[in-house]
Amino acid sequence: MTSEKQIAAETATEYITDGMIVGLGTGSTAEFAVKKIGKLVRSGLSIRGIPTSEITRNIALEEGISLIDFSETMYIDLTIDGADEIDNNLNMIKGGGGALLKEKIVASASKELIIVVSSEKLVENLGNFPLAVEVISFGWEFTFNNLERLGGNPNLRLHHGKPFLTDNGNFIIDCKFNEIKDGIKLEQHLNMIPGVIENGLFLGLCSRMILAKGDKIIMKEKNKI
């Protein structure tokens, strides 16, 4: 049986047309999209991709997708990515896979950002999923302390007992705010903390959500009910 993740991801690829520069997201849902794009490329679709992580880069290369970087373009036509949480205003938490910095750069450069999710990712209020905050390793304890003072109940993300390293060589501190009532204000506070490079709040970036519920597709566009 085809999963909700796969249904949503493969539906999103229908918006890709010849000649596009396509942002390639990271995570289990986005992987379905990348593999579907690979099939389309082998069937004659001509696109160039910008991956949001080394994991996605490797998958894309295996699929035969031509890749470029920002030395060749400042704009991306369309990006397909997943989310850890998304609310009815299409604001999101991302970063569970540790690729939030590259994901936010790619999302911000995209004319259209399509977020593909399974039904359990749609929430009334953001905050139940831990908010990833990417920080430099130097003085991370100081940054951690400031996140604690902000009420984030922080935890340093570990991998095999050692600090998890992002593709950029940074640490991630996961914060549990439980319910984020004012994402804009929280993002401002986070970005003012010395040592913070990026956070997993993706506000106002999603232009279209494609959600799979069972075998049904639910779509929502930005600023549309």
Side-chain angles (χ1 to χ4, degrees):
M1 182 179 176
T2 305
S3 69
E4 290 183 347
K5 290 181 178 182
Q6 185 173 353
I7 292 170
E10 293 187 351
T11 298
T13 64
E14 297 172 8
Y15 290 87
I16 299 173
T17 58
D18 263 338
M20 277 188 169
I21 296 173
V22 180
L24 307 173
T26 295
S28 57
T29 307
E31 183 176 337
F32 283 117
V34 176
K35 290 184 175 179
K36 179 64 175 181
I37 293 168
K39 290 181 181 178
L40 294 172
V41 166
R42 293 191 293 276
S43 297
L45 178 69
S46 177
I47 62 106
R48 294 176 294 166
I50 297 184
T52 54
S53 66
E54 287 304 309
I55 291 174
T56 298
R57 172 180 291 277
N58 292 333
I59 295 170
L61 290 173
E62 288 173 3
E63 293 292 331
I65 300 171
S66 297
L67 301 179
I68 60 171
D69 58 31
F70 283 102
S71 67
E72 299 180 64
T73 184
M74 289 293 104
Y75 302 98
I76 297 169
D77 293 298
L78 182 151
T79 291
I80 301 173
D81 207 347
D84 298 310
E85 285 185 344
I86 186 166
D87 67 18
N88 284 306
N89 294 316
L90 304 187
N91 292 317
M92 301 171 284
I93 285 180
K94 291 175 52 58
L100 62 152
L101 176 56
K102 290 183 178 179
E103 285 176 331
K104 191 169 281 190
I105 292 171
V106 168
S108 299
S110 300
K111 296 174 185 175
E112 182 172 8
L113 174 63
I114 300 179
I115 295 298
V116 291
V117 289
S118 48
S119 56
E120 78 277 1
K121 299 296 179 70
L122 182 63
V123 298
E124 196 165 324
N125 297 296
L126 298 178
N128 187 56
F129 194 92
L131 178 65
V133 180
E134 186 162 345
V135 306
I136 64 169
S137 59
F138 176 79
W140 72 265
E141 300 92 343
F142 173 82
T143 309
F144 184 100
N145 183 59
N146 276 275
L147 289 169
E148 194 166 41
R149 290 172 63 188
L150 192 60
N153 300 301
N155 280 294
L156 180 67
R157 188 179 298 187
L158 301 176
H159 181 67
H160 298 311
K162 296 182 179 180
F164 172 89
L165 290 179
T166 69
D167 285 348
N168 317 295
N170 301 314
F171 291 177
I172 285 183
I173 297 174
D174 290 307
C175 296
K176 197 70 181 294
F177 287 99
N178 295 318
E179 184 178 344
I180 299 172
K181 295 182 179 179
D182 190 339
I184 294 174
K185 185 175 180 181
L186 176 59
E187 186 170 35
Q188 290 172 342
H189 283 310
L190 290 170
N191 291 340
M192 289 175 64
I193 296 174
V196 169
I197 296 170
E198 193 50 84
N199 67 82
L201 283 170
F202 282 59
L203 309 176
L205 291 170
C206 175
S207 51
R208 185 189 304 267
M209 176 186 72
I210 298 179
L211 179 146
K213 190 171 184 178
D215 59 356
K216 294 181 180 180
I217 289 292
I218 299 170
M219 292 196 192
K220 184 168 184 179
E221 294 181 48
K222 189 176 182 179
N223 298 328
K224 293 184 181 180
I225 298 174

